[in-house]
Amino acid sequence: MSPARTVLVVQHAAWEEPGIIARALDSRGLTWRAVTALDDPNPDLPDVAELDGLVVMGGPMGALDDAAHPGLAAERRLLAEATAAGVPVLGVCLGMQLLAVALGARLHTGRGSEVGMAPVALTGAGLRDPMLYPLTVDATPDPVVLHWHGDAVDAPAGSTVLASSDVTPVQAFRHGSALGLQFHLEVDGPLLARWLAEPVMSGDLSAGAVAQIAADAAARFPSLVPRAHVVFGAFADAILSRRG
């Protein structure tokens, strides 16, 4: 067995933490560390050869906001290199957009606004994907998940679209060892409460909209959160499998 290495978790905002992803990594005994690389044009990111896995989280900025956040360019380079090397990669929301752009896809700024609990439709490939199939175990053809985004991306060339919605045609895609999720499976009740109390997240929402999101999540999370643990457990298992 090769020596243990770190799973790198790149965060862009304190409240956009890995949540259920972190618990899945912990449950498999995987070491991980969180870093923020946004504002340093030459951030101290590890070489791809040192990675067991790579997770890139969401954030309020855009995937090409390099002028305000020069570290994003380094994140995109690392995402492309990790995917090319076969490292298990997971991009969530902004992280998915960074992954897509790193692989040559187009970013659509401000097209695809979705906030709150709403369904996604899994494609045939999504239903067969080893990480996404648990979303349908309750016999719901279009699982209801948490959305919180305004930008959208095309699928990179050579990728497979795994999920879509009427507003956002690419809700999830796979490209080799990399999985991109536009929606937020990592969020549970306590983390959502933190989001709803964070002005950057909820400042543009009415009190009624905040209450509706909280109520919808309370109804859905008892089923969704256990399935999210299975999804991210499969990601952790992919890391262990590659390690050998």
Side-chain angles (χ1 to χ4, degrees):
M1 180 180 293
S2 60
R5 292 175 296 229
T6 297
V7 179
L8 187 71
V9 177
V10 181
Q11 287 187 234
H12 305 101
W15 57 87
E16 296 228 26
E17 60 190 72
I20 296 171
I21 301 169
R23 294 200 289 279
L25 296 173
D26 290 341
S27 73
R28 300 315 199 264
L30 289 164
T31 301
W32 62 276
R33 66 183 179 95
V35 300
T36 300
L38 271 179
D39 299 326
D40 185 346
N42 297 295
D44 185 20
L45 296 175
D47 185 88
V48 68
E50 302 171 14
L51 293 179
D52 252 351
L54 176 61
V55 180
V56 181
M57 302 303 304
M61 60 289 302
L64 291 174
D65 284 351
D66 294 15
H69 304 290
L72 291 173
E75 291 185 35
R76 294 194 302 269
R77 286 194 297 272
L78 185 60
L79 281 162
E81 292 168 0
T83 302
V87 173
V89 171
L90 176 63
V92 177
C93 200
L94 171 62
M96 177 185 118
Q97 296 162 11
L98 288 163
L99 173 63
V101 171
L103 298 176
R106 182 180 177 185
L107 175 71
H108 301 279
T109 303
R111 193 188 83 186
S113 178
E114 293 175 288
V115 177
M117 303 297 295
V120 293
L122 268 63
T123 65
L127 292 169
R128 296 187 297 273
D129 189 86
M131 293 184 195
L132 285 193
Y133 81 88
L135 290 180
T136 62
V137 297
D138 64 351
T140 302
D142 297 334
V144 175
V145 295
L146 178 65
H147 303 262
W148 212 298
H149 70 102
D151 296 348
V153 289
D154 295 334
S159 299
T160 302
V161 176
L162 304 179
S164 65
S165 68
D166 290 342
V167 175
T168 307
V170 182
Q171 282 281 359
F173 73 85
R174 178 170 292 284
H175 190 100
S177 63
L179 174 66
L181 299 177
Q182 185 60 69
F183 46 92
H184 290 278
L185 285 181
E186 80 281 7
V187 176
D188 59 8
L191 184 52
L192 178 61
R194 184 180 181 190
W195 283 22
L196 293 175
E198 171 55 52
V200 175
M201 296 294 286
S202 62
D204 293 335
L205 300 176
S206 68
V210 169
Q212 188 64 60
I213 292 170
D216 291 345
R220 295 286 182 174
F221 277 4
S223 171
L224 183 61
V225 167
R227 288 180 284 156
H229 277 278
V230 178
V231 169
F232 297 129
F235 175 70
D237 289 340
I239 294 172
L240 292 171
S241 178
R242 181 175 183 269
R243 182 188 289 180

